[in-house]
Amino acid sequence: MSGDQRPLLALGAPEVGERIKQTRRDMPRLSKVPAARQGQRMSPQFRALSDAFDARRAELSHEQVDEVDPALVLVFDLAGTVEAFGNAVNKIEGLEFLAELLDEPSEPDDDFHMVQGGARTDNTVQHSLYLVMSNATAVTQLVSLFEQWQRDPNLSFERGLGKFKTVFEQLRGIRRWGPDDRVRETGLLERWQETVAVVGQSISTVNVEIELWYRRDPAQRNSAESHLRAVVERAGGAVTTQAQIDSISYHALLVALPIQQVETVLREGTAAIDLLNADEIMFVSPYIPMSVTAPETELLSSSSIAPAERVTDPPRIALLDGLPFQNHDALAGRLIIDDPDGIGSTYGVANRHHGTAMASLILHGDLSKPGDPLARPIYVRPILQPHPLQPRQEVTVQGRLLTDLLHRAVRRIVEGDGTHPPAAPSVRIVNLSIGAQSRALVRRMSPLGRLLDWMSVDFNLLFVVSAGNHPNVPIVIPADSAATPESTAQAALKAVYATSKVRGILPPGDAVNALTVSATHADESGEVSLPDTVWDLAHPDAPALYGAVGPGVGRSVKPDVYHAGGRALYQRPVVMRGSPTVELVPVNTASTGPGSQVAAPAAAGRTDATAYTHGTSNATALVTREASRIFDILEVGRDSADDAEFPDPQYHPVLAKALLVHTSTWGQEGERLRAALGLHPQRWRRELTAVLGYGAIRPERIASAATNRAVLIAGGSLGREHRHTYEIPLPASLRAKAEWHRVTATVASFVPTAGHLNRYRGAKVFFERLDDHETGGARIEADHNATRRGSVQHEISDGQKALVFNDGGALQLHVQCMDDAQRLKAGRVVRYGLVVSVETAITTSTTIHDEVRAQLRARVRAAQRNRIQP
């Protein structure tokens, strides 16, 4: 229970800002392989590499009059990683570092194993793939370096090349980047097999997205693209569009290939066509425009929301989605439509489902229990269009690369487009209730994720993004578990958990800086009478069975938070005789509920129709609504002139992110899932973090405190190896009381990123874990290691040990910034938002907020006195 609501309190400037040095923990390290042994293992591979260059030179000589030095992409397969290896690569003329990828870990062997405290361990060995563009001359120098190292491992290489000695010690293999690499984990072959099986010769072309190696030199990028265009044209295909985004090292083509090329690959293998052999290519993925389908149903329910007068304040939220039905009663007067591509001319009202639903949820919340409408209009940029062949289906604009489309859409909002001025420079929050369906999160950050991470930093925007749904991944349970709703629900939960690897976060939800949202099995539609043939198989407020799960890149926390996404129901399973399993089939509840009630387009000119829907899209829209409410509070500022000033508006986006996560908790779901899934006693916290993230948002606690809970906020900017120290006042009413209390600390940041590196996060902002003795409690919920890997750290200390401190006592919290994937450049800083709360049961104290506020006001008065002293 909480007491009456109280305002947020600003911590003010940090007590201390100081320079610190990064320390390294005693971690397991990789064994060193002797030079002689590496010579035995690697010399044949270096010779094979030289032969490959000779063969490629001979091949090109037939096509060109002049002698050529071919460029091939080399794969350095290393046990472990080598920090700043790219810098050493670029020191050798003819070598260009391209990217680093994380490979699957392997079991230790006599050559490569982990050592700690002088003893060999059984830990698996992590592998990294370093991708390097090379010509034959550079390879000759590389072989020379390797031979020198073999003869004398202690030899000093010339300045800048010392990293190669470490590489030679850790080198497991060296080879060319080949056709199989270009399609591995992209889902291309599986998609092509489905295409041929379903449509066969009824289509003449298939679309693929080709991501090229991003070359630093514009002339080399142009040359690579020109060569690929020629390869495509010789195969009878065509390049539909291209995109280059220098800020995220992105270079891609959308290509239409003849179906005969597909059949050749499926019949003869990836090396059978020239396209997949082209050295300019990093990855080839199937082009699958993200799509949403509205249910086929008659809309019976209606909205009681009256049309609004035109809302004229500048927009704070941008909705990049389908085109809404802007004349719907719930939306009229509340949208600013910007349609530079003219999509609306072919967007029939009957097709405007998804954008209408998302706008409705953002503006009003769930219409079964609507809240006050937002005071500002929503800026809407349509990036979906009606499917040309499938009625009731909307897809991302076809013939465009989604990464390029989003890039242009956001730049138009912030900076303008060509001669067009910024379309909505007041926007601070971008809602993306979409997910790219071509692949779930794999070994590297998606281009969409990289784009959002860069734009979060450079444009200072909060992206609220859907984790994604997996409706096409069936839930299959044992037939003998389908007897009752209870046994079926238990089996469904286990089946979803067992297939979590194929239910991963969908791009751009993998973005580190974005707030990624998944859905709970909850809505406001209340009790619904169900026939015997329909079962509710998820626990109330549990993660919805349809939603994507984590972890994120580098085993970071993803999704960040959960919110109500609408309940999904299933048909009572019918088991076929002799079948060992049965697949669960969803039920269409659009007209009756349950689900989130949203505005919907309807026939016969109705402007008040609604539907019931579910999905992580819904949860994302609702979180965006909550984020706007936080901005309202932050922009009003402090409650009294006696309090410290609220953080500067430049910190509002990242502070809104921190405040949203700050309310999140696993609640009872952690223990329930731990027991239901039978998780390992030592790994359960890590495994649950990948499922639950930081937990479900508690809207009633967002951006507000209570008499028994003080919530403090701060915002700041940190350079590398700097930290800010904050003094969190401890209320006297907690002193020496062995009563339940909780201390929660959340720091969120917009971190720079390194898209070509494994570690990806360019810098990290964090605080050292809360001290159990100082807080009188113990850490609960999310795995501590995972909380330090992303851009949000959320720690909860819960307990009932008595706190011992003097009058005016405080809890110190150090917010620090350190290098991660790369060195943060001099003068560059990282924005962060900090939220700390101290609370207890209302039966213990109703003065926590007032006590903390009094101490903070005393600091403000002291600071004012110091400023006016001569």
Side-chain angles (χ1 to χ4, degrees), residues 518-648:
S518 200
T520 58
H521 184 69
D523 52 55
E524 298 289 352
S525 57
E527 291 294 327
V528 178
S529 179
L530 302 179
D532 291 340
T533 56
V534 176
W535 285 356
D536 187 344
L537 299 178
H539 192 271
D541 298 316
L545 298 178
Y546 52 75
V549 296
V553 165
R555 292 174 290 128
S556 59
V557 177
K558 287 287 175 181
D560 296 288
V561 295
Y562 278 79
H563 204 17
R567 288 172 286 172
L569 306 182
Y570 294 84
Q571 294 178 15
R572 178 176 180 171
V574 177
V575 181
M576 303 301 292
R577 179 173 296 182
S579 175
T581 61
V582 61
E583 180 179 333
L584 301 181
V585 179
V587 174
N588 180 2
T589 61
S591 61
T592 61
S596 305
Q597 190 178 12
V598 299
R606 281 185 63 186
T607 60
D608 65 348
T610 66
Y612 295 92
T613 66
H614 62 264
T616 58
S617 293
N618 293 0
T620 303
L622 290 174
V623 170
T624 295
R625 174 178 169 82
E626 298 295 351
S628 184
R629 186 156 68 91
I630 290 172
F631 270 87
D632 287 338
I633 293 168
L634 293 176
E635 288 171 4
V636 168
R638 57 185 172 176
D639 191 56
S640 166
D642 295 329
D643 297 320
E645 291 188 4
F646 271 24
D648 186 86

Side-chain angles (χ1 to χ4, degrees), residues 71-76 96-102 129-134 175-183 209-228 242-246 248-253 275-284 443-444 447 450 755-757:
L72 305 179
V73 176
L74 309 185
V75 181
F76 290 76
E96 180 181 349
F97 179 75
L98 298 173
E100 175 191 6
L101 297 176
L102 193 65
L129 305 180
Y130 289 84
L131 293 310
V132 176
M133 185 71 74
S134 173
R175 59 179 177 82
R176 287 180 64 180
W177 184 256
D180 288 340
D181 296 305
R182 297 183 178 99
V183 302
E209 182 174 343
I210 297 174
E211 189 173 355
L212 288 72
W213 298 108
Y214 184 85
R215 308 297 301 275
R216 293 194 305 271
D217 184 348
Q220 291 177 330
R221 290 200 299 274
N222 292 337
S223 175
E225 183 175 320
S226 296
H227 179 251
L228 272 183
Q242 69 88 230
Q244 290 188 43
I245 305 175
D246 297 339
I248 61 169
S249 302
Y250 176 73
H251 188 189
L253 303 176
L275 181 69
L276 296 183
N277 284 284
D279 286 285
E280 295 84 358
I281 294 176
M282 180 164 52
F283 292 114
V284 182
R443 292 178 299 158
R444 67 183 190 109
R450 296 186 345 242
H756 58 288
L757 295 178

Side-chain angles (χ1 to χ4, degrees), residues 474-532:
I475 302 176
V476 179
I477 66 172
D480 57 9
S481 297
T484 67
E486 293 75 19
S487 61
T488 302
Q490 175 76 358
L493 177 63
K494 290 183 176 181
V496 168
Y497 181 74
T499 56
S500 59
K501 284 190 176 180
V502 294
R503 296 177 183 273
I505 304 294
L506 294 178
D510 53 345
V512 168
N513 287 326
L515 186 71
T516 304
V517 184
S518 200
T520 58
H521 184 69
D523 52 55
E524 298 289 352
S525 57
E527 291 294 327
V528 178
S529 179
L530 302 179
D532 291 340

Side-chain angles (χ1 to χ4, degrees), residues 74-393:
L74 309 185
V75 181
F76 290 76
D77 183 353
L78 267 59
T81 60
V82 176
E83 188 174 350
F85 178 40
N87 296 336
V89 166
N90 293 331
K91 288 283 186 180
I92 296 181
E93 186 175 352
L95 292 185
E96 180 181 349
F97 179 75
L98 298 173
E100 175 191 6
L101 297 176
L102 193 65
D103 204 6
E104 294 295 328
S106 68
E107 293 300 317
D109 58 30
D110 289 341
D111 289 323
F112 299 104
H113 51 266
M114 305 306 292
V115 177
Q116 187 171 26
R120 176 173 171 172
T121 74
D122 293 330
N123 295 356
T124 57
V125 177
Q126 186 61 64
H127 294 291
S128 300
L129 305 180
Y130 289 84
L131 293 310
V132 176
M133 185 71 74
S134 173
N135 59 24
T137 304
V139 162
T140 300
Q141 184 174 351
L142 189 63
V143 172
S144 174
L145 288 174
F146 181 72
E147 291 174 344
Q148 292 175 47
W149 173 75
Q150 277 186 271
R151 289 192 295 269
D152 183 2
N154 297 317
L155 177 71
S156 295
F157 287 170
E158 67 178 77
R159 183 178 178 82
L161 300 182
K163 292 291 182 182
F164 277 100
K165 295 173 64 175
T166 308
V167 168
F168 294 153
E169 289 176 345
Q170 297 178 204
L171 193 59
R172 294 177 65 247
I174 186 167
R175 59 179 177 82
R176 287 180 64 180
W177 184 256
D180 288 340
D181 296 305
R182 297 183 178 99
V183 302
R184 186 173 135 186
E185 293 186 339
T186 68
L188 182 75
L189 299 185
E190 295 84 354
R191 182 70 177 185
W192 279 1
Q193 288 168 347
E194 293 173 7
T195 299
V196 170
V198 174
V199 296
Q201 291 295 324
S202 64
I203 61 170
S204 58
T205 61
V206 294
N207 291 326
V208 295
E209 182 174 343
I210 297 174
E211 189 173 355
L212 288 72
W213 298 108
Y214 184 85
R215 308 297 301 275
R216 293 194 305 271
D217 184 348
Q220 291 177 330
R221 290 200 299 274
N222 292 337
S223 175
E225 183 175 320
S226 296
H227 179 251
L228 272 183
R229 285 178 178 270
V231 171
V232 170
E233 289 170 5
R234 284 199 301 270
V239 175
T240 305
T241 188
Q242 69 88 230
Q244 290 188 43
I245 305 175
D246 297 339
S247 299
I248 61 169
S249 302
Y250 176 73
H251 188 189
L253 303 176
L254 180 58
V255 169
L257 275 183
I259 190 66
Q260 292 82 2
Q261 293 275 295
V262 172
E263 293 169 335
T264 299
V265 168
L266 296 180
R267 186 175 59 251
E268 301 177 20
T270 55
I273 64 173
D274 290 342
L275 181 69
L276 296 183
N277 284 284
D279 286 285
E280 295 84 358
I281 294 176
M282 180 164 52
F283 292 114
V284 182
S285 305
Y287 178 68
I288 309 174
M290 174 262 174
S291 65
V292 290
T293 304
E296 300 254 5
T297 187
E298 182 182 356
L299 302 178
L300 304 176
S301 56
S302 60
S303 166
S304 60
I305 305 290
E309 296 295 328
R310 172 61 60 182
V311 181
T312 58
D313 286 343
R316 178 187 291 138
I317 295 169
L319 173 63
L320 307 185
D321 208 282
L323 186 64
F325 174 32
Q326 60 261 49
N327 290 328
H328 193 286
D329 291 353
L331 308 184
R334 301 182 184 278
L335 304 179
I336 298 173
I337 307 294
D338 183 21
D339 184 15
D341 299 322
I343 293 172
S345 61
T346 59
Y347 221 129
V349 170
N351 293 107
R352 302 184 184 188
H353 286 271
H354 202 261
T356 301
M358 296 306 105
S360 171
L361 287 166
I362 293 171
L363 285 167
H364 304 284
D366 191 330
L367 293 180
S368 294
K369 189 179 177 181
D372 294 333
L374 296 187
R376 294 172 179 249
I378 299 175
Y379 168 89
V380 180
R381 165 69 184 266
I383 61 170
L384 304 182
Q385 65 182 38
H387 195 286
L389 301 175
Q390 318 231 354
R392 307 186 68 80
Q393 190 172 100

